[in-house]
Amino acid sequence: MKVIAPDKDGIKRVDGRLKVTGAIRYAAEYNFPGLVYGVLVNSTVAKGTMTAINGKAAEKAPGVLAVISHLNVPEVSGYKDGKAQPGSPFYNNQVFFNGQPVVLVIANTLERAKYGASLIKITYKVEPHQTNLDSNLQNAVKTGDDYMRGIANAYQSAPVKIEVEYRTPIHVHNAMEPFAVTSVWDGDKVTLYTKSQYIKGMQQDVMKLFNLPEANVQVYSKVIGGAFGSGSPLWPYAKAALIGSKVISKPLKVVIDREQMFTMVGYRSPAVQKIGMGASADGKLIGITHDAIGETATYQRFTEGITNTTCFLYDCPNVNTTYKLANLDLSVPTYTRGPGETTGVFALESAVDELAYALNMDPLGFRLKNYAETDLEQNLPFSSKYLRECYKQGAAQFGWNKRNQKPRSVVQNGWLVGYGLSTGAYWAGRAPSTAKARLSPDGILLIQSATSDMGPGTATVMTKIASEIINIPVENIKIELGSSALPPAAGEYGSMTTSSVGSSVYDVCTELKRKFNELGGNNDDNPNYVKILQDHKLPYLEVTRQSHPDANSGKYSSHAYNVNFVEAHVHPATGMVKIVRVVSVIDGGKILNPITARSQIIGGVVWGISMALMEGGVIDHRYGKYVNSNLGEYHVATNADVPQIEVIFIDKKDPVTNPMGSKGIGEVGIVGVAAAMANAVFNATGIRVRDLPITPDKLVQV
Amino acid sequence: MASKNSSNESEKDVKILDGTRRDFLKQSTLLTAIALTPAPLVRAAENGWDEKIAAVYEKVPLNIEVNGVKHQLSVEPRATLLDLLREQLDLTGTKKGCDHGQCGACTVHVDGHRINSCLTLGVMVSGKKITTIEGLAKGDQLHPMQEAFLKHDGFQCGYCTPGQIMSAVACIREGHANSETEIREYMSGNICRCGAYPNIVNAIQEVKDGGQTV
Amino acid sequence: MKQFQYIRPSTQQSVLEAINKPGTKIIAGGTNLVDLMKRGVTAPDKLVDINHLPLKSIASTKTGLHIGALALNSVVSENSLVIEKQPLLSMALKAGASPQLRNMATVGGNMMQRTRCTYFYDITMPCNKREPGSGCGAMEGYNRMHAIFGASQQCIAVHPSDMCVGLAALDAVVVIAGRRGERRIPFTEFHRLPEDHPEMDNHLAKDELIIAVEIPDNNFAKNSYYLKVRDRQSYAFALVSVAAALDISNGVIKQARLAMGGVAHKPWRLLDAEKALIGKTVSEESFKQAALIAMQGAKAYEYNSFKLKLAPATITEALKHASGLV
């Protein structure tokens, strides 16, 4: 058997060929015979009750097979005894937000379903609504996630201090693949094709909805066209599709449209954050106060760790944070790439920059002076922390020493030039996860786990892990994921997949090899698997293992870190901003597959560019409705907005997180990036934008 | 309508390719069925009666060539080329990202030119040659742009990828791949939310510099 | 989308006959119309596909450049005659939409595109342009993209085209065919201000068809520039755009053409500013003075007051580029 030479860049995507040929099928691409189409009609008021639904015209329209609402839906077993989650589709007449799915029109073609949906008329009894975070800050309530060490608000008595307020808008994931469900019932069994970041969790949700045993619910999520945190729950639109297909007893496909992507599948909460930060005259931090207010829905609460990073990133004796939520008549927010941290670290790392300028210190020098050697929040040592290395390598690669401390002092071809910097961190966690490995006489290793792949390359990195242990060519490894029938895996979120699922692949392959060696009676790094199977007349050898976090993991603080160096050019007259250079340095432990890891970090930086310069959901509060719920007005970065991005990995093992020594990098890639951009814009212009996004109107000068 | 249609289209000045559904059909609710109504009505729809009558009044014939295969179709004029490819021809490689010309995931070539298939009515490409991502490779041999996307990891989730690749091929053919800046501008009609842009630019540059025929 | 009848005439005469009926719309590229139909903003009973008419030519005439109404935006922008004689038009076209959309959109269709005002597109919201008498959602709403010139109490929407800004600056003429023959109107008089009838975007009669635009020859080719300021580097509508064309002799401006996009219900020609430039030497100071003149009468709303600063800055900058100062 050929021993593969380790490639320093790692392996190419194992599903790449299927993706570049268009052969891979996403959730809405299972065209079963007899498939019918469902289109959801959503509420057009922000709060109230539906008093009438006129579906007559729709029912008469050609090809329409069903019009389903709370008025005619057969009882859903999971809704009995008041168990329905508020806002569940077809549960009752209540409207909690503008854009809530309330009626499903099913027809035999997509065009007819759409037309049918356009004919639905709903009458409402409207109640006054509140959708504006800014005007509801006073009503925000504590989440209980407050923190304090040392003296409260100690920054106030510091010799040099700043007190500033930052605003971030709604961010909508806007994965390129619209959410879709293809649902097929067979008696009391249901099969669901959808995008899911947590397949086993979604299976449980479906079981609960219909009161079904596990064996009767099959969830497939073979490939995901992006999710970024939005793909975990069984959203109301999906429940509506499942109910609809049960009612009509046909395979049903429901795809939500781009506008519905803004109200039906979560978003990043906007936030208003106040930061007070003070230091001694020579730049030693004395105190940080970080008060954050976000929003959640009236019918469901969502919290995230906005102030998390503030509590441990710097060596500061006095830190106090608060986190409050305003309950608004909007759909519920959810996890969005770097949930919590992305919002909070924008404020923290902007404030650090502001204080450095107030001290007239190099922002990098200021950060190094306050470098945390231990986690002061948890009072624990770090399992690994190479942040200092990140600063050092990044600064050298970027040429940070060429930076001019004085804002608005560098001009190049008529554009103002600025350098900016940010630090980020994200918890390197891990959850129990199971994998099964089977090696057959054809030399093929099959690995199964009910995880998913929303883009980072889960199957690819699992293949890499397996190939390095089993020591067979990657072509001989088949990874099967994306089905609830496979061994239960952790969800694909929180930067945990490689650490959790990867560990189970690592463990199961290690055990499989040990078994082969045991059978073969030796201890070979490269056993002759096929011969051993043949010698023992075995059809295959198979191992299933659940892997758990290391028992010692609680004794350490584990985080991935990043540092971003950014060069921004700002046109002085028109306020246009161009990001021309980014160096992103990552301490993600051991990097298991550099090709895909690099792409993931680039993706995080691109999200950071979008967040810094253009993204923001806008709601007309008179109607409680988005006025930019499309990709033409909700801007995300285009190719022209993105320069070459240099990614540097420190690539040193973490001894605690998992047997591979990696730390998750999916989330950390975006954390802090927007602050680096805003800091670069300040360095270029002398204008501090504390209210994202930094659009030309905020910089235009005469 | 059927008789008008059966004459030689090219000789006729005005080609009436469709009649709107007549009033009598609208009133003929017998033929539509809604769930929760008695089973016989649902069965009427299942038997395709509604479909057959609708076909006469609402559908028009359409001849197109997709990836070298000629299709004689019967389509509603309101069906977009995108939905026609995905739902009727089961060519799901072409993606629907926004359905409003704002993302480029639906990019295909019509007579060699890249367009947004979501804003193109199927009936408007009558007689034209369509190339989708499924038609780019020659059998098992990938198109150089597909190879380059693989090599440079020009994607993550893969959903925008078919549109990116179709656009990238056109970008070179049009002569708009002469510099990084030009490639970026001429690839800006294709949104990639995973942010693979730098890798996409590298892939296109390699194909351009390789001088292969695209 | 509602079902509709679809016809594909092959002569201009039959198109003119077909469109003179209520509920009928012309489709060319479809990039805006299909979008509007999907959103239910418009729901024609009949679509007249004019793509088979022979209106695609781009040719030099004795007096200028003739561009057929069905010439594609991409084709016009890359046409060597256009680049040589009217580079401003090429630049404006390339600043618009995306390569795919420019491969579909026609010159005539570009002129006929509707505003991108969000309240116009969202059929659950009031809009006098979409539904006369229903009110203007933008006036007291989110009006960041909206007009600072020529708006009315009925409508503060802007025309979204880049191409039209270039054509307005270049004194183009629109050639229109009707059942009683052809007529020609100055490009700047094609689109209209909203006044009391925002539902009407332009002066094209229901039974007329745009067949061409003609651009008279000029001396602007050397000193033309189209500057578009937008929220991202590409594929976005203008916050403000400026088409600037100068005829400069020995550092003195002999003729000037200026038009703005993103500021009014129609491409906004800046005649007073042009006059002010004539006879001036090329300098940032004279450009700034012209920009100030251009801004007279501007009126902002809650979210678009930045345009009062951005517009003059963009005018100055565009003139600097056109004149070669930068």
Side-chain angles (χ1 to χ4, degrees):
Chain A
M1 215 170 283
K2 180 177 88 178
V3 179
I4 44 162
D7 183 332
K8 72 173 174 54
D9 293 328
I11 60 172
K12 287 187 219 160
R13 284 173 198 273
V14 296
D15 51 0
R17 193 182 171 98
L18 289 173
K19 286 182 174 175
V20 300
T21 54
I24 204 160
R25 297 226 173 209
Y26 294 81
E29 296 168 354
Y30 293 88
N31 289 336
F32 295 111
L35 181 79
V36 295
Y37 297 80
V39 170
L40 280 162
V41 178
N42 33 261
S43 63
T44 55
V45 302
K47 189 178 183 182
T49 48
M50 293 178 279
T51 53
I53 297 175
N54 186 344
K56 284 206 178 78
E59 286 164 359
K60 284 182 190 171
V64 171
L65 302 170
V67 175
I68 299 171
S69 71
H70 70 280
L71 294 174
N72 65 358
V73 74
E75 192 168 36
V76 178
S77 34
Y79 287 0
K80 278 183 196 163
D81 311 321
K83 278 188 294 185
Q85 199 176 28
S88 289
F90 317 142
Y91 177 56
N92 60 23
N93 63 354
Q94 268 190 289
V95 173
F96 294 99
F97 60 93
N98 199 324
Q100 178 181 326
V102 289
V103 176
L104 179 66
V105 176
I106 301 173
N108 59 357
T109 72
L110 178 57
E111 290 78 17
R112 289 165 170 185
K114 280 190 173 173
Y115 179 58
S118 75
L119 299 174
I120 301 292
K121 297 273 181 274
I122 303 173
T123 315
Y124 301 91
K125 180 169 175 284
V126 180
E127 293 167 36
H129 62 263
Q130 293 292 327
T131 54
N132 190 345
L133 177 60
D134 265 329
S135 51
N136 282 277
L137 296 173
Q138 302 308 317
N139 306 326
V141 290
K142 285 196 163 200
T143 58
D145 294 343
D146 298 352
Y147 170 77
M148 185 165 98
R149 72 166 169 264
I151 303 158
N153 301 325
Y155 78 90
Q156 288 172 344
S157 51
V160 182
K161 65 187 177 214
I162 55 154
E163 205 166 55
V164 282
E165 187 172 280
Y166 300 95
R167 276 179 158 70
T168 49
I170 285 173
H171 293 145
V172 184
H173 311 79
N174 269 318
M176 293 314 296
E177 180 203 13
F179 273 75
V181 158
T182 306
S183 160
V184 185
W185 284 85
D186 177 10
D188 60 352
K189 291 185 177 165
V190 64
T191 307
L192 171 66
Y193 303 81
T194 189
K195 76 162 85 182
S196 174
Q197 288 177 243
Y198 186 26
I199 292 169
K200 292 303 284 185
M202 188 168 284
Q203 182 188 34
Q204 292 288 327
D205 289 345
V206 178
M207 287 157 56
K208 268 185 231 156
L209 181 62
F210 297 106
N211 199 18
L212 292 172
E214 186 171 335
N216 288 27
V217 176
Q218 172 63 41
V219 177
Y220 284 110
S221 190
K222 288 285 182 187
V223 60
I224 296 175
F228 311 109
S230 61
S232 295
L234 186 71
W235 292 107
Y237 93 90
K239 291 181 181 174
L242 286 161
I243 294 167
S245 67
K246 188 164 196 276
V247 166
I248 197 152
S249 297
K250 283 170 182 294
L252 172 71
K253 173 156 83 182
V254 174
V255 186
I256 65 173
D257 64 28
R258 186 53 62 180
E259 186 179 347
Q260 292 172 330
M261 291 279 281
F262 283 71
T263 64
M264 293 189 187
V265 290
Y267 58 94
R268 190 197 304 280
S269 164
V272 176
Q273 302 178 73
K274 282 186 180 162
I275 290 198
M277 194 181 279
S280 61
D282 64 348
K284 185 72 196 73
L285 275 170
I286 288 170
I288 306 175
T289 298
H290 186 171
D291 298 314
I293 302 178
E295 75 185 25
T296 191
T298 56
Y299 63 95
Q300 199 177 334
R301 196 170 98 137
F302 174 79
T303 64
E304 57 187 347
I306 293 186
T307 56
N308 280 359
T309 313
T310 305
C311 303
F312 72 89
L313 190 60
Y314 291 104
D315 182 41
C316 179
N318 307 297
V319 175
N320 54 302
T321 70
T322 64
Y323 173 39
K324 291 181 184 175
L325 286 175
N327 299 320
L328 300 180
D329 299 307
L330 290 166
S331 63
V332 69
T334 194
Y335 306 99
T336 308
R337 198 166 197 173
E341 277 77 354
T342 299
T343 307
V345 175
F346 163 67
L348 176 68
E349 284 295 286
S350 293
V352 165
D353 199 65
E354 297 208 43
L355 186 54
Y357 277 100
L359 288 158
N360 197 24
M361 274 181 83
D362 178 334
L364 177 54
F366 178 56
R367 284 174 172 87
L368 287 168
K369 180 147 189 151
N370 293 285
Y371 192 86
E373 299 291 354
T374 58
D375 182 333
L376 292 178
E377 180 194 10
Q378 301 184 72
N379 212 7
L380 290 175
F382 296 114
S383 58
S384 69
K385 181 180 178 183
Y386 298 105
L387 178 58
R388 210 188 294 275
E389 279 293 301
C390 293
Y391 287 131
K392 197 178 157 194
Q393 289 194 29
Q397 180 64 27
F398 185 80
W400 183 255
N401 58 358
K402 297 191 192 82
R403 169 183 170 277
N404 196 317
Q405 172 80 7
K406 188 168 172 266
R408 216 182 178 91
S409 57
V410 182
V411 181
Q412 194 179 310
N413 299 326
W415 291 66
L416 302 167
V417 176
Y419 286 8
L421 159 71
S422 72
T423 314
Y426 202 87
W427 179 61
R430 180 179 161 189
S433 201
T434 308
K436 180 160 126 181
R438 170 192 287 189
L439 216 152
S440 313
D442 56 3
I444 300 293
L445 172 68
L446 173 68
I447 289 174
Q448 297 177 313
S449 184
T451 184
S452 38
D453 186 353
M454 58 174 163
T458 311
T460 308
V461 74
M462 298 309 147
T463 302
K464 180 92 184 316
I465 292 169
S467 79
E468 284 175 358
I469 297 166
I470 300 290
N471 228 339
I472 60 172
V474 292
E475 299 77 29
N476 290 3
I477 299 170
K478 190 168 173 261
I479 307 285
E480 196 181 335
L481 44 75
S483 160
S484 59
L486 301 171
E492 189 178 43
Y493 44 66
S495 275
M496 292 199 303
T497 314
T498 299
S499 211
S500 311
V501 185
S503 293
S504 65
V505 171
Y506 183 96
D507 289 348
V508 82
C509 288
T510 305
E511 176 61 11
L512 184 68
K513 186 153 108 179
R514 194 194 63 76
K515 275 200 167 184
F516 270 99
N517 274 328
E518 192 177 84
L519 275 176
N522 54 12
N523 189 11
D524 194 345
D525 194 40
N526 187 26
N528 191 335
Y529 299 103
V530 174
K531 183 167 182 298
I532 293 168
L533 287 175
Q534 285 165 348
D535 288 351
H536 292 78
K537 298 191 167 47
L538 288 171
Y540 55 80
L541 204 54
E542 174 180 290
V543 177
T544 303
R545 272 284 180 281
Q546 189 183 47
S547 299
H548 298 270
D550 189 288
N552 284 326
S553 61
K555 297 177 187 163
Y556 296 93
S557 165
S558 295
H559 295 87
Y561 293 89
N562 68 338
V563 176
N564 280 281
F565 294 88
V566 169
E567 179 177 342
H569 290 188
V570 183
H571 193 270
T574 59
M576 288 187 286
V577 180
K578 281 198 278 198
I579 302 300
V580 301
R581 213 153 57 89
V582 180
V583 174
S584 190
V585 197
I586 307 294
D587 167 18
K590 177 74 188 161
I591 299 302
L592 302 182
N593 197 49
I595 299 177
T596 46
R598 178 177 173 273
S599 293
Q600 211 171 357
I601 297 305
I602 289 174
V605 173
V606 172
W607 269 61
I609 293 174
S610 293
M611 175 181 171
L613 303 186
M614 57 197 91
E615 273 191 69
V618 181
I619 289 171
D620 184 329
H621 297 295
R622 295 172 301 170
Y623 310 102
K625 187 172 190 190
Y626 281 93
V627 289
N628 65 343
S629 51
N630 59 75
L631 290 177
E633 291 167 282
Y634 182 98
H635 293 134
V636 301
T638 67
N639 205 319
D641 296 291
V642 179
Q644 288 292 348
I645 294 162
E646 288 181 74
V647 179
I648 298 172
F649 292 114
I650 301 301
D651 200 21
K652 286 186 180 162
K653 271 194 171 188
D654 184 293
V656 174
T657 48
N658 57 53
M660 298 83 68
S662 69
K663 298 192 275 192
I665 57 166
E667 313 279 14
V668 78
I670 182 181
V671 179
V673 179
M677 314 260 163
N679 296 342
V681 167
F682 176 76
N683 185 240
T685 63
I687 300 169
R688 178 66 67 178
V689 180
R690 302 188 182 94
D691 178 10
L692 293 183
I694 309 170
T695 42
D697 48 301
K698 294 175 185 166
L699 296 172
V700 65
Q701 305 260 298
V702 178
Chain B
M1 177 212 132
S3 62
K4 281 179 182 166
N5 232 359
S6 59
S7 60
N8 185 336
E9 285 183 10
S10 62
E11 286 174 16
K12 289 194 70 70
D13 179 22
V14 178
K15 285 166 280 189
I16 301 205
L17 296 178
D18 173 45
T20 42
R21 172 170 284 253
R22 301 300 188 262
D23 282 344
F24 78 82
L25 191 63
K26 280 183 183 156
Q27 289 153 12
S28 178
T29 54
L30 184 74
L31 293 167
T32 62
I34 58 161
L36 319 174
T37 54
L41 295 188
V42 176
R43 278 202 296 277
E46 280 176 349
N47 289 338
W49 296 348
D50 179 46
E51 193 62 32
K52 281 172 197 158
I53 293 171
V56 174
Y57 289 96
E58 294 192 330
K59 294 197 171 179
V60 301
L62 172 65
N63 295 323
I64 51 171
E65 188 179 316
V66 183
N67 301 331
V69 179
K70 291 196 165 99
H71 295 270
Q72 289 191 322
L73 303 170
S74 172
V75 302
E76 292 184 352
R78 65 182 165 180
T80 60
L81 175 59
L82 174 62
D83 287 335
L84 197 153
L85 290 168
R86 286 172 62 83
E87 308 299 337
Q88 293 195 43
L89 298 179
D90 199 31
L91 290 167
T92 55
T94 305
K95 303 303 183 194
K96 182 182 284 188
C98 72
D99 211 21
H100 291 279
Q102 298 170 335
C103 80
C106 67
T107 303
V108 300
H109 296 175
V110 173
D111 286 345
H113 300 286
R114 54 173 156 166
I115 56 110
N116 295 115
S117 62
C118 74
L119 292 181
T120 303
L121 298 173
V123 287
M124 292 170 69
V125 295
S126 169
K128 301 199 173 186
K129 289 182 178 164
I130 320 295
T131 308
T132 71
I133 190 72
E134 290 94 340
L136 215 52
K138 287 185 180 132
D140 280 346
Q141 195 194 341
L142 294 181
H143 184 279
M145 192 61 76
Q146 291 171 314
E147 289 285 6
F149 267 64
L150 281 176
K151 179 177 170 187
H152 292 276
D153 208 34
F155 55 94
Q156 288 194 55
C157 82
Y159 197 80
C160 75
T161 312
Q164 297 281 0
I165 292 176
M166 297 311 288
S167 214
V169 170
C171 182
I172 292 181
R173 284 187 192 161
E174 291 163 4
H176 291 139
N178 299 308
S179 68
E180 264 191 44
T181 308
E182 191 182 26
I183 292 171
R184 286 196 191 114
E185 170 58 26
Y186 279 85
M187 287 301 292
S188 281
N190 293 81
I191 305 291
C192 170
R193 188 55 158 159
C194 296
Y197 298 127
N199 295 350
I200 290 169
V201 171
N202 294 342
I204 295 172
Q205 279 205 307
E206 175 169 299
V207 176
K208 169 73 170 39
D209 295 346
Q212 293 143 291
T213 308
V214 295
Chain C
M1 194 190 295
K2 191 180 86 170
Q3 268 288 34
F4 51 84
Q5 191 181 17
Y6 170 82
I7 64 168
R8 196 188 293 146
S10 53
T11 69
Q12 196 169 298
Q13 196 52 41
S14 47
V15 167
L16 291 173
E17 278 164 25
I19 58 176
N20 190 30
K21 294 192 182 72
T24 302
K25 289 230 183 271
I26 288 172
I27 187 162
T31 56
N32 190 206
L33 182 62
V34 174
D35 190 17
L36 292 167
M37 288 165 69
K38 283 184 177 185
R39 295 183 195 271
V41 176
T42 187
D45 298 317
K46 186 177 193 171
L47 277 192
V48 181
D49 181 348
I50 61 168
N51 284 297
H52 291 242
L53 301 186
L55 299 174
K56 292 182 180 160
S57 70
I58 303 170
S60 262
T61 67
K62 278 180 200 159
T63 54
L65 200 57
H66 175 100
I67 302 172
L70 287 173
L72 295 177
N73 284 187
S74 54
V75 172
V76 177
S77 73
E78 313 250 327
N79 180 277
S80 55
L81 282 172
V82 174
I83 291 169
E84 176 202 333
K85 297 178 107 178
Q86 310 294 350
L88 182 61
L89 175 60
S90 174
M91 283 188 258
L93 279 164
K94 286 178 180 178
S98 71
Q100 291 95 311
L101 290 167
R102 297 198 293 268
N103 269 347
M104 304 164 72
T106 64
V107 167
N110 191 321
M111 291 164 63
M112 293 301 289
Q113 69 178 307
R114 313 294 310 268
T115 181
R116 304 287 162 161
C117 173
T118 196
Y119 298 92
F120 174 69
Y121 267 73
D122 186 335
I123 60 170
T124 71
M125 294 200 181
C127 172
N128 288 324
K129 184 181 277 297
R130 187 186 66 247
E131 199 181 328
S134 63
C136 173
M139 189 83 71
E140 306 288 329
Y142 188 65
N143 42 36
R144 180 169 178 266
M145 299 300 287
H146 290 73
I148 53 171
F149 290 109
S152 73
Q153 280 304 304
Q154 301 291 316
C155 179
I156 61 171
V158 298
H159 195 264
S161 171
D162 292 298
M163 179 196 82
C164 293
V165 180
L167 288 172
L170 292 168
D171 288 324
V173 172
V174 187
V175 187
I176 293 167
R179 284 180 301 157
R180 286 169 299 277
E182 287 182 18
R183 66 182 179 113
R184 308 158 79 79
I185 58 170
F187 195 91
T188 48
E189 289 170 26
F190 180 80
H191 295 99
R192 58 183 296 284
L193 290 176
E195 297 169 336
D196 287 336
H197 287 285
E199 73 278 10
M200 289 157 59
D201 292 348
N202 54 56
H203 294 292
L204 189 74
K206 175 69 196 146
D207 58 353
E208 290 183 317
L209 177 70
I210 304 167
I211 57 173
V213 291
E214 291 180 352
I215 310 172
D217 285 336
N218 57 46
N219 292 322
F220 299 131
K222 266 195 303 183
N223 294 104
S224 296
Y225 200 75
Y226 189 75
L227 179 60
K228 183 176 183 181
V229 181
R230 43 187 157 174
D231 284 327
R232 60 183 178 192
Q233 300 289 316
S234 186
Y235 206 10
F237 289 101
L239 296 170
V240 168
S241 68
V242 171
L246 297 171
D247 179 358
I248 301 168
S249 179
N250 299 322
V252 177
I253 298 165
K254 288 170 67 188
Q255 288 288 320
R257 297 287 183 273
L258 280 171
M260 257 197 286
V263 296
H265 196 258
K266 60 186 285 186
W268 195 246
R269 182 76 181 261
L270 308 174
L271 292 170
D272 291 340
E274 290 172 11
K275 269 187 218 145
L277 284 167
I278 293 170
K280 296 275 163 51
T281 52
V282 168
S283 72
E284 180 158 358
E285 201 39 51
S286 41
F287 297 158
K288 279 187 171 166
Q289 280 171 16
L292 277 182
I293 290 167
M295 293 306 293
Q296 282 168 11
K299 175 183 184 277
Y301 299 86
E302 185 178 358
Y303 293 94
N304 71 349
S305 56
F306 71 93
K307 289 189 181 182
L308 300 180
K309 289 193 284 181
L310 181 59
T314 310
I315 293 169
T316 306
E317 197 61 24
L319 285 166
K320 281 162 70 180
H321 278 276
S323 63
L325 274 188
V326 287

